[in-house]
């Protein structure tokens, strides 16, 4: 009830050894606390998004939920098949969490996020998530008055629009653009 009527929780772990990956997943009934379903998946790092799609399909089957074509497209979207781009992006995400959720942010961590996002984009320019993460870090830094620049708003907008050209369903890009439009008072049209 406290979680808004959520019936099931998905929990899991991902283990990685070089290019091998193993994903352990379980679906737990919230009310009883009992495991409804569990499975482990193995594969190569390049297969992580295929594994993700398989897991989503299995969960939908277990819950007897129909996945719409639009939801299927979102699930099936592969951000990148390049493991080096994915590694750079994941490391940037880790640093983003350190940066965004600390009382005393570290400039070196901020710069590392930007560098890692640039590296991921250089390796795979279609990694929409890297553009959004770069924009989010920039937004936070500017909000903290750490790295103010006159054109920061336009840079955030540019990065988010670039991400949306790659993945028009990027919720993170849309949320960041909403912040942009609310802060600037500009019209989205």
């Amino acid at each position: 009830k406290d979680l808004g009527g959520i019936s099931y929780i998905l929990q899991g772990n991902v283990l990685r050894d070089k290019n091998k990956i193993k994903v352990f997943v379980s679906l737990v009934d919230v009310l009883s606390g009992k495991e409804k379903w569990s499975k482990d998946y193995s594969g190569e790092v390049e297969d992580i998004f295929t594994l993700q799609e398989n897991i989503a399909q299995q969960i939908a089957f277990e819950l007897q939920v129909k996945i719409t074509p639009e939801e299927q497209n979102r699930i099936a979207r592969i951000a990148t098949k390049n493991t080096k781009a994915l590694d750079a992006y994941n490391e940037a995400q880790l640093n983003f969490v350190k940066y965004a959720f600390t009382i005393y942010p570290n400039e070196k961590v901020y710069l590392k996020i930007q560098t890692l996002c640039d590296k991921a984009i250089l390796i795979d320019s279609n990694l929409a998530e890297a553009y959004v993460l770069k924009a989010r870090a920039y937004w936070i830094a500017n909000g903290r008055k750490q790295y103010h620049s006159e054109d920061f708003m336009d840079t955030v907008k540019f990065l988010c629009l670039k991400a949306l050209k790659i993945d028009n369903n990027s919720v993170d890009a849309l949320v960041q653009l909403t912040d942009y439009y609310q802060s600037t008072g500009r019209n989205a049209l």
Side-chain angles (χ1 to χ4, degrees), residues 13-185:
N13 292 306
V14 178
L15 300 176
R16 180 177 176 182
D17 182 23
K18 297 178 184 162
N19 284 337
K20 300 283 185 197
I21 193 163
K22 190 157 191 156
V23 180
F24 300 91
V25 184
S26 64
L27 191 61
V28 178
D29 181 306
V30 173
L31 295 176
S32 69
K34 292 183 181 176
E35 190 173 82
K36 178 175 175 63
W37 164 85
S38 69
K39 189 168 180 178
D40 57 275
Y41 298 82
S42 298
E44 302 289 320
V45 171
E46 303 82 49
D47 301 331
I48 189 68
F49 298 106
T50 303
L51 291 173
Q52 175 183 316
E53 184 177 358
N54 292 342
I55 292 167
Q57 293 287 351
Q58 186 66 44
I59 292 166
F61 175 78
E62 292 296 327
L63 295 176
Q64 299 175 350
V65 174
K66 184 174 179 355
I67 297 177
T68 67
E70 183 180 287
E71 291 167 330
Q72 181 62 40
N73 286 339
R74 269 188 268 142
I75 292 168
R77 181 183 175 275
I78 297 174
T80 183
K81 288 189 175 191
N82 189 305
T83 57
K84 290 183 180 180
L86 187 59
D87 286 345
Y89 172 73
N90 285 335
E91 189 177 346
Q93 265 192 319
L94 177 64
N95 281 279
F96 178 80
V97 170
K98 289 179 190 175
Y99 178 73
F101 300 103
T102 186
I103 295 171
Y104 304 106
N106 183 325
E107 180 180 0
K108 288 180 184 177
V109 176
Y110 167 78
L111 295 173
K112 189 170 185 177
I113 296 164
Q114 296 299 332
T115 300
L116 288 164
C117 285
D118 287 342
K119 179 179 178 181
I121 291 166
L122 183 64
I123 296 169
D124 185 348
S125 62
N126 288 314
L127 185 54
E129 293 79 357
Y131 292 100
V132 176
L133 187 60
K134 186 176 172 89
R136 290 178 69 205
Y138 200 45
W139 184 270
I140 289 171
N142 195 287
R144 292 177 171 169
K145 310 283 189 245
Q146 287 182 295
Y147 314 106
H148 184 72
S149 73
E150 292 295 319
D151 63 346
F152 103 93
M153 288 283 205
D154 293 331
T155 302
V156 168
K157 179 182 176 186
F158 169 80
L159 290 167
C160 290
L161 290 175
K162 179 75 174 166
L164 286 169
K165 282 183 183 177
I166 298 164
D167 175 14
N168 64 348
N169 290 315
S170 173
V171 174
D172 290 334
L174 291 169
V175 168
Q176 189 63 65
L177 274 177
T178 300
D179 288 343
Y180 165 82
Y181 289 120
Q182 286 178 341
S183 293
T184 62

